[in-house]
Amino acid sequence: MTTWQGWQRFATTPPPQPPAPGEPARGVEERLAYHSAFVTVRTPAIDTLTTGVRTLMVLGRHQQTTARPSLIVTGPAAAGKTTALLHVGRACHLAHTQQHPPAITTQAAVPVAYVLVPPGATAKALATEFARYLGIPVTARMTQAQITDAVCHTYNRAGVRLVLIDEIHRLNPRTTTGAETADLLKDLTERIGATFVYAGIDVTTTALFSGVRGAQLAARASLVECGAFPARLGTREPFRELIAGVEAALDLRTHRAGTLPRHTAYLHQRTAGRIGSLARLIRQAAITAILDGSERITKQSLDTIRLDHLAETHHHTTRDRQPNPR
């Protein structure tokens, strides 16, 4: 998705849909593919980000002299940051396409750009990533300034209105290289007529907001938290509600609704309340249930699934702290 062709394919491909009541039963291969891709479960972070992006795009539409206000999606690993970013980007792309159908538009517009910050990125390397997204020719002899000029000119001509930058925690403004890269981002936000949205792991605990450059970013960016879901929040049980939403999207022939919410405490311990880990656990269990013919998920089948190392470490640490039954 870090090229326009790839992004366009992602944005225009209909997302997976859960089985509708009364529709013919899907075959094994179709259901395996469905659980592999799976649905995006709406979360408070997605709703907050959607509203924030829409507002800032309107706010910055006619701003010319300074950088437009931006948003930063932050939170721990596997908390759904990239999912939220891509969901909002897709929605923006489709809304723009609906308002400006390609058939009646004289020049093809590129409403959304998606860029990954490469590890240890120099300013020139990041500028090259921006260029690669739109297929802007870059040669070894070109300077960073030349690449940046080409990027800004082409992005503005293409009508880019939303720039999504993922893995922003890889930047460290305390180093010379990181400082130059941070300066490049500031330059791009002032020269490209678009709203910038960043995503990164726990950015408030990194060097991203430190020093003069960090202060400039902090003064322009609002934070959207993608945290772990608490087991309880007042009278509500957010994690149980999340589990119920994921379970409702399953396409298994003999799975009984309500089975997974009954294991909320267990699932919260296994995943530390992270939506990414929960979705992976349930998707893997569903695929296993289709392959072995059981067509249902149980606590026993969940126990057989090996999760990401972060979730497994949390699970074993929490379990080891519990007192042994006598």
Side-chain angles (χ1 to χ4, degrees), residues 123 126 144 148 171 173 175-191 212-214 216 220:
L126 184 57
Q144 176 203 318
T148 302
L171 289 184
T175 67
T176 302
T177 298
E180 292 172 352
T181 309
D183 286 342
L184 169 68
L185 279 179
K186 180 176 179 293
D187 190 24
L188 293 175
T189 61
E190 293 174 349
R191 297 176 59 186
V212 175
R213 292 173 178 85
Q216 288 178 326
R220 291 171 174 169

Side-chain angles (χ1 to χ4, degrees), residues 266 270-271 276-286 288 299-317 319:
Y266 163 79
R270 285 280 324 254
T271 64
S277 298
L278 175 71
R280 175 176 169 179
L281 175 62
I282 294 178
R283 286 164 54 212
Q284 285 188 235
T288 301
K299 185 174 180 295
Q300 289 72 30
S301 65
L302 290 168
D303 267 335
T304 65
I305 305 296
R306 296 290 297 176
L307 267 179
D308 55 273
H309 181 66
L310 183 65
E312 291 292 350
T313 301
H314 171 84
H315 172 55
H316 290 301
T317 301
R319 187 178 60 185

Side-chain angles (χ1 to χ4, degrees), residues 9 40 83 90 100 165 214 285 297 302:
R9 185 164 54 250
T40 297
T83 298
R90 187 207 295 266
H100 309 279
I165 304 179
I297 299 175
L302 290 168

Side-chain angles (χ1 to χ4, degrees), residues 52-95:
V53 167
R54 185 183 301 122
T55 302
L56 291 190
M57 289 181 72
V58 174
L59 182 65
R61 184 175 296 164
H62 302 292
Q63 190 168 331
Q64 301 294 333
T65 57
T66 60
R68 291 159 180 77
S70 58
L71 287 167
I72 298 180
V73 186
T74 183
K81 299 178 296 301
T82 296
T83 298
L85 201 67
L86 297 179
H87 178 88
V88 171
R90 187 207 295 266
C92 176
H93 179 105
L94 294 177

Side-chain angles (χ1 to χ4, degrees), residues 124 138-147:
K124 186 175 182 179
V138 173
T139 66
R141 290 186 176 184
M142 292 177 70
T143 65
Q144 176 203 318
Q146 289 173 326
I147 299 172

Side-chain angles (χ1 to χ4, degrees), residues 224-249:
V224 176
E225 295 281 351
C226 269
F229 278 67
R232 287 191 173 275
L233 188 62
T235 58
R236 291 181 52 234
E237 296 183 72
F239 196 67
R240 181 185 292 270
E241 295 167 8
L242 176 64
I243 294 169
V246 175
E247 184 183 62

